[in-house]
Amino acid sequence: MSTSSESTTHTTTQQSAGQSAQHHPNGRGGTRPTTSPEVIAAEIAGEQAHVDRVYARLAEAARSARQVASEGRALYQSDRNSYVREEDGTGLYERDVFAFQAAKRLATLDAEHEGLVFGRLDRTNSETHYIGRIGVRDDDYEPLVIDWRAPAAEPFYRATPTRPMDIVRRRVLRSRGQQVIGIEDDLLDGDQSDETLVVVGEGALMAALTRARGPQMRDIVATIQAEQDEAIRAPYQGVTMITGGPGTGKTVVALHRAAYLLYSNRRRFESGGVLVVGPSRVFMNYIERVLPSLGEESVTLRPIGAVADDVVRVSGERNDSAEVATIKGRLSMVGILKRLAAEPPKGAPDMLAITIKGEPLVLRADTLARIRSDVMSRYRVNQGRAAAETALINALWQRKPEEIELERDQFDDLVSEMATFRMFCNAWWPYLSAEEALARLGDPETVARVAGDLSEHDQQVLAESIRAGGEPTVADGALLDELIDRIGPLPEGEAEPNIFLDDDGTEVREVVTTADRLAVQREVDPFAEPYQTYAHILLDEAQDISPMQWRMLRRRGQHASWTIVGDLAQSSWPDPEEAQQALQQVIGNAPHREFRMSTNYRSPSEVFELAAKVALDAYPQADLPRAVRSTGVDPDLRTADGDHESSAVQAVRDLLGAVEGTVGVICPPSQVEQVTAAVEARVDDHDLQRVLVVTALQAKGLEYDGVLVVSPDDIVAESPGGSRVLYVALTRPTQRLITLDRTPGAAWRRPLG
């Protein structure tokens, strides 16, 4: 990010934070800010009239789309008493096209458009443009609203008093549903204003920042700043890095970038798909509203632990301990899994012996090992079974005595149909699922053979983790994905589809016809990549991605462009250099650009000053943004008085009384259940709706009006990133912060002085 861009953002922010008189340094043309209720009411009424016109036009367009859908359904009708004739194909195609396009248009028009029209630009040529979430035109095809992603809307985000871009006044409309409830103005070019121009309010950005937080992220489309807009509208090719400290809006900027790319390069990204990856399911639930509210539905959202869900069943809900997650995330696991995939199954026969016309034919262990190695060098495990059987028969043919008079094809048929041979193949080269392969690491002997590059302690920790079973962890997702790459998916016949309805206890039975059975049989290219690939991948909290997870992501973005969001100072991965090397492999020689977000809009300066000391102590190179807000309330550093849970509940009650919005309770993993139970038992049900108990890792990317950080020393001890994860927890509040230590003299406070 250039120095000039950062300077521009600083100017915009400071002017937004002041009174509207500060927006008019020149004072020419007679324009004056107003606080008159009558004048403001008149301005709001004028904007409401335009908004009403837009919604009326939107309703008319929706009726038109429904009519098109109805006409499309009528294009081809069949009583299903006869086969479809070849010449009917055109009618069927036209009907489907009409239905698809109408449904797509209706989905856009019927979407919830809270504050559909949110901006207005008054230009120096006396034209007025309204900015909104989607473009709307009148009967004469003149724009009533310009889509925020269109080039004509750029001045709404980039214009400043030093570079007004032919804009006299920028106005932000605040709405509740279809009702305009407030307006905020920036006067950008006082030289071009006249006596009739009204300037209202103290700036949209700072007004938005003071509002209470809800359980889901709001979009910032009405308050995007210049440096943010530059990142949003950057070219799609290659890799776009968005960096910056906590509270700088990296995540929401990246999501708006996804919406912009879909708007500006729709054919490429709508057909190729956009994958948005975040750190946790909690985070994905938090952000899921943003993109639909911007008019985009062609996006797949997945937490990092569920990225491999397209090839193996994973949910990404469970986390390993910090020690286990570090072992599973290292690049050394690539070699371990490669050797594991090549391992014969436990108890596999080490000799093949058959009898042909009374003559024994034997293949011993060394021959079997050579055959396995040769086949594995050319095939994945599940695709190499046929080649392995052929190699076995070839080796048996070479050992056939001359007195056995059989042609080669007769010999092949005879051997391949023998029960002894079939049973041997099933035991020596079984089809293998990724879950079954990973489960082998629960055996200490197997781990010792394939994981010799791990210490004995790490081998034991890894085996115990796998042997414990249960739902695959977040780290397991990348290991299972690596195994799929090594062994391949199960052949279609081995993963029998369930074509019957699940039994729900009723007497109704499902009738399955021969046609139904045939429908599930389809040819699958055994060498096709099993992963779903995308045209663009947006990755948030990239600093936490392990090297094994980077490999998993690369498989889905082999030909993709990327938006990568992160901050090394918040990394939970203990070896940032190793993760950085994995990132460089993703970037490669592709075009690469970086945008640094320099302003912390979330954290009050009092809170961020404390958090910054913790960050610099753990990571002296930390990129610390500038906090622009102050609440006048210092963080409340408490020590538990007797019962730790009771102290936590009291702190939660204090926060609920101090803020109007959400309260986050951030705990070490070992204390989540106890604190959750205490809060649920002792906090009023009405207030409880505003409280969320999470771990520090789950809190990544989230924000709350008030935050209680429970046992900071334990968060450091139980997190793979140590104090850097505590830095994350301390920067979640937008208003109030309370910390609660178990005992006096907590170690985490030492950097505070």
Side-chain angles (χ1 to χ4, degrees):
M1 191 71 191
S2 66
T3 304
S4 61
S5 295
E6 292 172 14
S7 175
T8 297
T9 302
H10 176 74
T11 301
T12 304
T13 303
Q14 296 303 315
Q15 290 193 345
S16 295
Q19 294 298 322
S20 50
Q22 293 176 307
H23 296 202
H24 187 38
N26 298 330
R28 298 185 182 180
T31 302
R32 290 290 184 271
T34 182
T35 56
S36 166
E38 294 79 9
V39 174
I40 294 174
E43 291 290 309
I44 290 177
E47 304 299 359
Q48 184 67 58
H50 185 82
V51 169
D52 290 343
R53 185 183 175 197
V54 171
Y55 276 106
R57 177 60 181 160
L58 203 65
E60 183 181 337
R63 286 192 297 272
S64 176
R66 291 188 179 91
Q67 182 178 352
V68 169
S70 177
E71 292 173 354
R73 287 192 296 270
L75 279 177
Y76 179 85
Q77 299 290 332
S78 170
D79 58 9
R80 299 188 181 183
N81 288 329
S82 61
Y83 288 102
V84 176
R85 297 169 299 175
E86 186 175 346
E87 55 267 32
D88 291 331
T90 301
L92 285 167
Y93 177 75
E94 290 179 354
R95 182 194 66 186
D96 292 345
V97 168
F98 267 84
F100 174 76
Q101 294 296 341
K104 187 176 175 182
R105 181 62 174 160
L106 277 170
T108 300
L109 297 174
D110 290 343
E112 179 186 352
H113 295 299
E114 178 78 17
L116 171 61
V117 186
F118 57 76
R120 167 176 167 165
L121 294 175
D122 294 287
R123 308 184 70 91
T124 55
N125 61 3
S126 300
E127 290 183 355
T128 298
H129 292 161
Y130 282 87
I131 313 299
R133 302 180 188 281
I134 61 173
V136 181
R137 294 180 179 272
D138 62 17
D139 292 334
D140 298 325
Y141 216 63
E142 292 298 321
L144 294 174
V145 185
I146 296 173
D147 192 299
W148 71 273
R149 294 158 292 193
E154 285 190 41
F156 187 77
Y157 306 107
R158 299 201 180 188
T160 67
T162 57
R163 184 170 170 263
M165 300 176 69
D166 298 325
I167 303 300
V168 177
R169 180 184 64 182
R170 171 176 51 214
R171 169 168 287 179
V172 174
L173 282 63
R174 291 189 293 111
S175 300
R176 183 177 295 119
Q178 299 183 19
Q179 188 71 31
V180 179
I181 60 173
I183 52 179
E184 301 283 345
D185 290 335
D186 288 305
L187 183 65
L188 301 177
D189 192 345
D191 289 333
Q192 301 295 327
S193 62
D194 59 35
E195 295 181 358
T196 63
L197 191 69
V198 175
V199 179
V200 176
E202 59 180 0
L205 175 62
M206 301 310 288
L209 292 174
T210 58
R211 284 186 290 166
R213 265 51 184 174
Q216 290 183 309
M217 178 182 282
R218 290 192 301 264
D219 63 76
I220 61 165
V221 68
T223 56
I224 292 170
Q225 299 300 288
E227 70 176 4
Q228 297 173 330
D229 189 65
E230 189 174 350
I232 289 170
R233 298 175 190 268
Y236 74 82
Q237 293 89 345
V239 178
T240 298
M241 301 281 295
I242 301 176
T243 66
T248 55
K250 301 184 301 297
T251 296
V252 76
V253 166
L255 292 172
H256 284 69
R257 172 168 170 76
Y260 172 75
L261 292 178
L262 281 161
Y263 174 84
S264 58
N265 299 273
R266 183 163 299 278
R267 178 173 295 181
R268 173 182 176 83
F269 294 115
E270 194 170 57
S271 60
V274 174
L275 173 65
V276 176
V277 180
S280 66
R281 185 76 62 182
V282 173
F283 176 81
M284 304 315 290
N285 292 339
Y286 178 62
I287 70 170
E288 66 181 357
R289 175 189 175 275
V290 175
L291 278 169
S293 76
L294 301 178
E296 298 302 346
E297 301 281 354
S298 307
V299 179
T300 300
L301 280 73
R302 283 196 183 133
I304 185 65
V307 167
D309 189 52
D310 52 354
V311 293
V312 66
R313 195 170 295 177
V314 288
S315 66
E317 294 291 326
R318 195 163 69 95
N319 283 288
D320 290 297
S321 68
E323 183 181 24
V324 173
T326 300
I327 294 171
K328 290 180 177 180
R330 292 176 187 159
L331 270 179
S332 57
M333 287 301 301
V334 176
I336 293 171
L337 296 178
K338 181 179 179 180
R339 293 187 288 274
L340 179 68
E343 276 267 306
K346 190 172 184 178
D350 58 3
M351 182 179 70
L352 169 61
I354 63 173
T355 301
I356 300 290
K357 293 191 174 183
E359 295 290 336
L361 301 179
V362 179
L363 300 180
R364 302 194 181 277
D366 57 338
T367 303
L368 295 177
R370 178 180 53 77
I371 290 174
R372 177 178 291 276
S373 177
D374 179 63
V375 173
M376 287 291 295
S377 69
R378 294 179 288 122
Y379 296 91
R380 292 170 173 161
V381 174
N382 288 334
Q383 281 121 24
R385 169 71 176 262
E389 292 182 5
T390 299
L392 291 172
I393 294 174
N394 287 340
L396 291 169
W397 172 261
Q398 292 171 3
R399 287 162 172 72
K400 179 184 73 68
E402 292 184 1
E403 51 267 29
I404 298 179
E405 297 181 357
L406 287 173
E407 297 295 329
R408 179 58 196 265
D409 57 346
Q410 294 175 319
F411 180 85
D412 290 357
D413 291 344
L414 182 61
V415 172
S416 62
E417 292 174 2
M418 293 179 66
T420 304
F421 181 78
R422 303 307 314 162
M423 291 173 64
F424 172 86
C425 290
N426 289 337
W428 182 67
W429 198 294
Y431 290 111
L432 192 63
S433 70
E435 295 91 338
E436 291 169 336
L438 186 61
R440 291 178 176 179
L441 287 180
D443 174 34
E445 294 181 3
T446 300
V447 173
R449 282 197 305 274
V450 303
D453 43 357
L454 295 182
S455 67
E456 289 188 11
H457 173 75
D458 286 355
Q459 289 180 16
Q460 180 181 353
V461 169
L462 177 61
E464 289 176 354
S465 168
I466 299 297
R467 197 161 52 246
E471 185 78 14
T473 64
V474 171
D476 287 339
L479 303 187
L480 292 168
D481 194 69
E482 188 76 28
L483 283 167
I484 289 287
D485 192 52
R486 296 288 174 185
I487 67 178
L490 284 171
E492 192 75 17
E494 297 299 314
E496 185 70 23
N498 179 18
I499 58 176
F500 295 94
L501 290 180
D502 291 335
D503 182 11
D504 60 359
T506 67
E507 297 299 321
V508 178
R509 298 182 180 274
E510 176 74 359
V511 177
V512 182
T513 67
T514 301
D516 293 328
R517 291 182 177 274
L518 291 174
V520 299
Q521 304 297 325
R522 59 185 186 278
E523 282 195 31
V524 177
D525 181 358
F527 299 100
E529 296 293 350
Y531 327 105
Q532 183 175 353
T533 58
Y534 297 86
H536 190 83
I537 294 180
L538 190 163
L539 174 63
D540 200 6
E541 304 294 347
Q543 73 278 351
D544 297 331
I545 302 300
S546 73
M548 291 300 295
Q549 290 170 336
W550 276 116
R551 290 175 62 86
M552 173 180 67
L553 290 166
R554 282 174 57 198
R555 296 186 185 103
R556 286 151 183 84
Q558 299 171 26
H559 307 290
S561 54
W562 294 69
T563 298
I564 299 176
V565 182
D567 174 23
L568 286 176
Q570 301 181 66
S571 175
S572 63
W573 179 250
D575 188 350
E577 290 186 7
E578 186 182 23
Q580 194 68 16
Q581 291 174 3
L583 169 60
Q584 289 302 321
Q585 292 179 353
V586 170
I587 296 175
N589 296 321
H592 171 222
R593 62 198 69 86
E594 183 171 330
F595 298 91
R596 175 181 175 264
M597 304 292 107
S598 61
T599 304
N600 181 344
Y601 300 109
R602 175 201 302 143
S603 306
S605 56
E606 297 84 357
V607 170
F608 192 68
E609 181 181 352
L610 177 147
K613 293 177 181 178
V614 173
L616 289 172
D617 182 67
Y619 188 64
Q621 313 95 293
D623 178 13
L624 300 180
R626 183 183 69 258
V628 296
R629 292 193 304 117
S630 173
T631 60
V633 181
D634 290 328
D636 185 356
L637 309 185
R638 301 184 182 182
T639 301
D641 182 13
D643 183 5
H644 187 61
E645 278 75 28
S646 295
S647 298
V649 171
Q650 184 58 52
V652 170
R653 288 173 176 159
D654 292 344
L655 287 171
L656 287 168
V659 301
E660 296 181 1
T662 55
V663 170
V665 183
I666 303 178
C667 304
S670 62
Q671 298 179 36
V672 168
E673 290 186 8
Q674 303 97 296
V675 173
T676 299
V679 170
E680 290 180 348
R682 306 182 206 176
V683 173
D684 180 81
D685 288 345
H686 176 73
D687 287 335
L688 196 60
Q689 298 175 6
R690 294 196 284 138
V691 180
L692 186 65
V693 182
V694 293
T695 67
L697 290 179
Q698 289 174 332
K700 278 182 172 284
L702 309 183
E703 59 183 33
Y704 312 92
D705 290 291
V707 168
L708 168 64
V709 179
V710 178
S711 300
D713 278 351
D714 291 329
I715 289 177
V716 172
E718 297 179 24
S719 302
S723 294
R724 288 179 297 185
V725 175
L726 176 59
Y727 173 52
V728 173
L730 295 173
T731 54
R732 299 307 98 190
T734 66
Q735 295 180 36
R736 300 290 181 90
L737 171 66
I738 297 177
T739 66
L740 181 64
D741 296 309
R742 284 184 173 275
T743 57
W748 77 274
R749 295 195 192 187
R750 283 198 295 267
L752 306 183

